[in-house]
Amino acid sequence: MDRYGMITVKMCRYSVPVRFIDRKVTVTLTCDDLTVYDGRREIARHRRLTGRGAEHLVLDHYLEALLTKPGALERSEALHEARADGAFTAVHEAFWARGQEGPR
């Protein structure tokens, strides 16, 4: 994994939870899916991408980092992708609103 919480497989990039940055992970690849493991534990699953240079980001993979930098959410590529896919839920909206309030 790179320092941005991404792995590259067959020239495509996929997000992985940021707590695994700089860890060696194992990937299984099928014709439809890519699954990422830390040891025997599954830590991420993506639909397989086929376009060269394509990326798939999952907003939830970045929430831990955004707890310490809530202002970064507005500019994050993961947020824009989640909104475009309809994956930005009411829970995410509440998390973002809480981050905008600042520390308590």
Side-chain angles (χ1 to χ4, degrees), residues 13-77:
R13 292 172 39 90
Y14 303 87
S15 66
V16 180
V18 294
R19 70 179 161 274
F20 297 100
I21 287 177
D22 293 330
R23 301 266 303 261
K24 289 188 181 198
V25 294
T26 304
V27 174
T28 59
L29 192 61
T30 67
C31 59
D32 296 322
D33 296 309
L34 174 132
T35 309
V36 184
Y37 296 91
D38 178 44
R40 292 184 178 191
R41 183 174 62 161
E42 180 180 314
I43 59 171
R45 180 180 294 266
H46 296 272
R47 63 179 160 34
R48 185 171 178 181
L49 301 174
T50 55
R52 182 179 184 162
E55 290 186 344
H56 187 250
L57 304 169
V58 176
L59 180 62
D60 290 352
H61 292 166
Y62 298 96
L63 293 181
E64 291 174 47
L66 294 170
L67 282 171
T68 59
K69 300 176 185 178
L73 180 59
E74 186 174 1
R75 298 179 309 279
S76 76
E77 184 72 26

